[in-house]
Amino acid sequence: MSSVPAEVQQRAAALRAELAHHNYLYYVLDAPEIPDAEYDRLFRELQELEQTYPVLRTADSPTQRVGGAVLERFAPVHHAVPMLSIRTETDSGPDGARNFDARIRRELGLGPDAPPVEYAAELKFDGLAINLRYERGVLVQAATRGDGETGEDVTQNVRTVGAVPLRLRGIEAAVLEVRGEIYMRRDAFERLNERQRAAGEKTFVNPRNAAAGSIRQLDPAVAARRPLSFFAYGLGAVDGWELPPTHSALLDALQAAGLPVCDERAVVQGADGLVAFHQRIAARRDALPFDIDGVVYKVNSLALQQRLGFVTREPKWAVAHKYPAQEQLTVVRAIDIQVGRTGKLTPVAKLEPVFVGGVTVTNATLHNEDEVRRKDVRVGDTVIVRRAGDVIPEVVGVVLDRRPRDAGAPFDLYAQLHGECPECGSAIAREEGAADWHCTGGLYCPAQRKNAILHFAGRRAMDIEGLGEKLVEQLVDGGLVHDVADLYALEVGQIAALERMGDKSAQNLIDAIAQSRATTLARFLFALGIPEVGEATAAALAAHFGTLEALQQAATEYAAALALTDDETAAARARRLRGQALQQVPDVGPEVAERIATFFSEPHNLAVIARLRAAGVHWPEAKPERGAQPLAGKTFVLTGTLASMSRDQAKERLQALGAKVAGSVSKKTDYVVAGSEAGSKLAKAGELGVPVLDEAALLKLLETS
Ligand code: IVH
């Protein structure tokens, strides 16, 4: 240390203390005081000091959470004090609690007139037990329970868990072993599974398996990416620390030392107190952010705990009182396919009704085709169904031992639907690399109707003012509008008859619909709601092709080119597709081109487009501008207020000339257009030396380009 300047040593110590403090505020008190970005800044400052002076890298430095090598296996750890299990009351009614209290009173020789016993009641977390060994306040080892005598050394992985403090606050005891549960929050579990699914990797059955699998990762870098949490609930070996008199005071002390302790705990009196706690938590179970499988009761006085002692491997002073399970077995009767509001096709298991997580479940999502195949779910299979919290019920796996001889064939979504949307009969499609099948009849499909109409009417699409969600609901549910073309046949009387609609607002809507007939090709293309075709792509398509006919022609050619000829390699086909007109449009890659081609090959969509045009929807026909895009490759940022047009109009005009219009200024920005009252974007342009155009210069540019 002598080679490190004193002020650097002090700064590093101050940073470590400050980071530890903010960790405590975040994980233990659940009340962070600084934004993540500030935490990251402090963290990086410490990292830099440690890089210059490696001796500053202490074991309790927050920079040292990740970094161990990949292991071949975990080293065994002999527990100084065995890690016991607890007896479980399987009766999930009030008797579970009463039986325990009666046993305790008998053991303690308390007569019926003796006062009630005091208990600490807490949650039974559904994760895995862990022993954290602190020596002189510093975390030196973390071990799993194993068989209770010998566990595994998982220190590297546990160090990556942000909620586990690397140093205790204000406890310098020679040895303090803290026991608790490593678990995964439900939201973190859902996100992790989504990530796994997207990466084509195996998903986890439940948060407990995900937590256990993560802690038993041999590569600490993988464990570090798993979102784990921790709650302390007890002690192991202790040397040089005076125990508090009660379990509840012990938990308070651990919390003060920087260990996360769950707030859902109580000190209660006698059997009635236990029953009330059990019921209160039962009502809150779904709202908790993590899974529990019951509650735990402990005699609060540590002196009484000692008097009660143990039987075989279980303490007599504690018991787990269960709740009904959130996972059950049942049989798959059928696999249906549902069409979502965006046209996404989701396989859903139809189940023998089963009571799980507090409700009778008859449907459970299977997410997508790959997921069904990965889990190999078939009609007739016995499956594990999970419903926890308000997460939708899910089939998590198949019990293969119970597969009947006459089980269904492996799932094949396309074959089952004969290639047609079950709602509207339009073709179904699935792009290369995409997880989901979808219905291509976006303009026509009843499942997608409301979404399609709202999008069509949007401000940046056909801009029909006043046509919002409530009104679309009524128009569709009342059978007045089946698709967007029907909007143009509506009459004032029909609308005035709807809920909360006067004559005046009905007339306004009819006027707004009539006005929307005069539009631009770019807006029209965007309004069609072709998947993956946003505003910018629609503008690029309009500018490139000039007319709808030219675009449709290109889409038809692309659809024909999509077919793989017999002797062609995938690379040759990709090259051929790149040569197609659709892929010449800026920003249109193979996925977007395929979506456009599929959309225009669906006859239902073409029929709606034809009816829209017959209803008078029109736009100025432009000459196709193939290649003639003077602003192609230039990026603009608009800021402030323009006098002669809105920012949206300026954006459309720039895009029509091939320019890209971005939302923020960077080194890649070619021009910033500044109207009056331009703010920080103008300042940023100055900083980066990006040329700035005023309104006059913009108008000139638009005219001459
Ligand atoms: S106390 C000597 N408290 O349940 C008492 N255990 O069989 C030791 N568990 O796998 C355990 N929440 O990890 C205790 N609040 C809690 C708990 C809890 C979950 C787990 C524990 C072990 C099992 C006990």
Side-chain angles (χ1 to χ4, degrees):
M1 276 292 178
S2 56
S3 62
V4 184
E7 65 275 17
V8 175
Q9 289 188 33
Q10 277 160 16
R11 182 63 188 150
L15 284 167
R16 275 200 301 271
E18 193 169 353
L19 286 163
H21 173 66
H22 289 299
N23 241 30
Y24 171 72
L25 291 176
Y26 184 88
Y27 287 109
V28 181
L29 301 188
D30 215 355
E33 276 174 4
I34 56 169
D36 290 359
E38 177 61 13
Y39 184 93
D40 294 344
R41 201 190 59 71
L42 297 170
F43 189 89
R44 274 196 306 275
E45 189 186 338
L46 180 59
Q47 244 174 349
E48 277 159 25
L49 291 183
E50 290 175 345
Q51 212 148 20
T52 320
Y53 303 103
V55 282
L56 292 176
R57 255 177 219 148
T58 55
D60 65 341
S61 170
T63 64
Q64 301 305 296
R65 284 193 179 269
V66 196
V70 179
L71 300 177
E72 298 249 327
R73 57 186 172 78
F74 297 110
V77 173
H78 180 76
H79 294 300
V81 173
M83 288 182 81
L84 305 178
S85 58
I86 34 182
R87 178 182 167 127
T88 300
E89 277 296 341
T90 43
D91 184 335
S92 61
D95 279 353
R98 297 195 189 284
N99 292 343
F100 172 63
D101 180 58
R103 265 201 320 277
I104 294 293
R105 294 185 73 86
R106 197 171 340 111
E107 286 286 337
L108 293 175
L110 298 175
D113 296 331
V117 176
E118 183 171 276
Y119 297 104
E122 56 199 57
L123 306 184
K124 186 164 193 302
F125 312 108
D126 205 5
L128 83 155
I130 211 89
N131 185 69
L132 305 176
R133 185 176 171 92
Y134 290 89
E135 292 180 3
R136 308 248 157 253
V138 176
L139 178 69
V140 295
Q141 188 183 63
T144 60
R145 176 162 174 262
D147 63 6
E149 298 289 336
T150 308
E152 288 178 319
D153 184 339
V154 290
T155 313
Q156 291 206 107
N157 292 344
V158 171
R159 288 179 67 90
T160 69
V161 179
V164 171
L166 300 178
R167 168 183 280 280
L168 298 178
R169 300 158 56 96
I171 296 184
E172 299 280 340
V175 175
L176 183 68
E177 287 187 358
V178 176
R179 289 182 178 168
E181 200 88 347
I182 294 270
Y183 69 96
M184 194 178 284
R185 289 170 55 106
R186 280 203 279 262
D187 53 358
F189 166 75
E190 294 296 329
R191 275 199 303 274
L192 172 63
N193 261 359
E194 231 134 74
R195 220 164 67 204
Q196 296 285 106
R197 218 172 269 136
E201 289 186 40
K202 104 174 202 333
T203 52
F204 295 95
V205 168
N206 54 38
R208 186 194 51 238
N209 285 22
S214 303
I215 280 301
R216 302 205 64 260
Q217 265 293 329
L218 290 166
D219 182 353
V222 174
R225 288 196 295 273
R226 301 283 171 78
L228 296 171
S229 305
F230 174 77
F231 279 134
Y233 57 61
L235 292 181
V238 178
D239 178 8
W241 192 60
E242 196 184 332
L243 291 181
T246 61
H247 182 74
S248 57
L250 165 66
L251 294 186
D252 293 341
L254 293 180
Q255 186 159 22
L259 289 149
V261 174
C262 183
D263 282 336
E264 299 282 353
R265 58 187 169 109
V267 174
V268 302
Q269 310 297 325
D272 290 344
L274 296 177
V275 171
F277 184 80
H278 188 255
Q279 285 171 351
R280 183 162 69 79
I281 298 298
R284 293 198 24 74
R285 185 183 185 193
D286 279 1
L288 294 172
F290 47 82
D291 281 1
I292 57 169
D293 54 356
V295 289
V296 177
Y297 311 134
K298 297 170 183 172
V299 171
N300 201 24
S301 153
L302 298 198
L304 285 186
Q305 285 189 4
Q306 208 160 21
R307 228 176 93 192
L308 287 158
F310 299 83
V311 260
T312 57
R313 312 190 43 78
E314 293 169 355
K316 287 193 197 167
W317 45 266
V319 77
H321 191 186
K322 293 264 187 175
Y323 289 122
Q326 292 179 316
E327 287 182 6
Q328 289 292 356
L329 295 185
T330 189
V331 173
V332 176
R333 283 176 173 170
I335 300 177
D336 278 7
I337 290 142
Q338 284 176 0
V339 192
R341 282 163 57 88
T342 59
K344 177 182 161 194
L345 302 175
T346 305
V348 174
K350 299 279 156 182
L351 306 168
E352 286 297 338
V354 60
F355 192 75
V356 50
V359 297
T360 301
V361 168
T362 52
N363 293 325
T365 182
L366 288 160
H367 298 289
N368 59 46
E369 175 168 50
D370 290 348
E371 194 73 8
V372 188
R373 293 210 180 144
R374 211 169 0 234
K375 291 175 180 160
D376 192 18
V377 182
R378 307 191 192 183
V379 174
D381 270 340
T382 296
V383 292
I384 304 162
V385 176
R386 174 179 166 81
R387 181 189 175 273
D390 31 21
V391 180
I392 47 172
E394 177 182 43
V395 169
V396 294
V398 174
V399 185
L400 283 178
D401 291 355
R402 300 216 196 158
R403 173 167 287 167
R405 274 175 209 287
D406 62 348
F411 184 67
D412 181 333
L413 190 144
Y414 189 90
Q416 180 167 331
L417 295 180
H418 308 291
E420 289 177 2
C421 170
E423 292 282 339
C424 75
S426 296
I428 64 168
R430 175 181 174 176
E431 278 69 34
E432 247 167 68
D436 297 311
W437 286 91
H438 60 96
C439 162
T440 64
L443 282 183
Y444 170 77
C445 180
Q448 301 172 67
R449 214 169 259 170
K450 289 176 185 172
N451 248 13
I453 296 169
L454 267 176
H455 174 80
F456 183 83
R459 194 166 64 80
R460 288 155 181 280
M462 301 298 277
D463 193 18
I464 305 178
E465 210 184 308
L467 187 51
E469 209 160 327
K470 292 245 161 57
L471 204 49
V472 169
E473 290 274 319
Q474 292 191 63
L475 290 172
V476 170
D477 295 344
L480 292 174
V481 171
H482 298 96
D483 59 47
V484 292
D486 289 343
L487 291 172
Y488 294 95
L490 285 172
E491 286 166 14
V492 181
Q494 291 175 303
I495 297 173
L498 298 176
E499 238 174 79
R500 269 176 299 171
M501 263 289 164
D503 288 343
K504 177 119 174 43
S505 29
Q507 186 60 52
N508 287 347
L509 181 65
I510 292 290
D511 292 347
I513 292 173
Q515 262 173 32
S516 75
R517 285 192 170 94
T519 184
T520 64
L521 179 56
R523 279 175 174 271
F524 182 74
L525 291 176
F526 176 56
L528 294 179
I530 305 166
E532 305 292 333
V533 176
E535 235 184 324
T537 307
L541 289 167
H544 189 90
F545 291 106
T547 65
L548 183 62
E549 287 67 27
L551 168 60
Q552 269 179 255
Q553 173 73 26
T556 312
E557 283 167 16
Y558 198 91
L562 272 174
L564 188 64
T565 52
D566 281 348
D567 49 356
E568 193 180 36
T569 63
R573 170 168 168 270
R575 217 174 311 119
R576 184 159 54 75
L577 288 173
R578 265 203 300 282
Q580 285 284 317
L582 258 188
Q583 280 208 40
Q584 306 311 306
V585 181
D587 278 352
V588 175
E591 292 84 19
V592 180
E594 191 173 336
R595 292 284 192 151
I596 297 169
T598 319
F599 183 89
F600 285 108
S601 348
E602 174 49 56
H604 292 130
N605 293 336
L606 299 180
V608 177
I609 292 173
R611 284 173 48 231
L612 283 168
R613 301 193 83 179
V617 173
H618 66 280
W619 49 86
E621 296 280 342
K623 284 194 297 296
E625 298 188 39
R626 283 167 204 260
Q629 291 208 307
L631 299 183
K634 298 281 182 234
T635 302
F636 286 71
V637 172
L638 303 173
T639 178
T641 314
L642 300 172
S644 57
M645 62 186 113
S646 71
R647 272 221 295 276
D648 279 344
Q649 285 167 330
K651 181 173 170 184
E652 277 181 18
R653 291 184 61 180
L654 285 166
Q655 284 173 340
L657 295 168
K660 241 174 98 170
V661 179
S664 62
V665 182
S666 74
K667 276 185 291 197
K668 292 191 187 138
T669 312
D670 293 294
Y671 298 99
V672 167
V673 176
S676 59
E677 279 158 61
S680 63
K681 290 179 187 170
L682 182 56
K684 188 81 191 275
E687 262 169 52
L688 296 175
V690 175
V692 177
L693 304 179
D694 62 10
E695 182 157 3
L698 171 69
L699 290 173
K700 189 138 172 243
L701 180 76
L702 291 173
E703 273 159 35
T704 52
S705 295

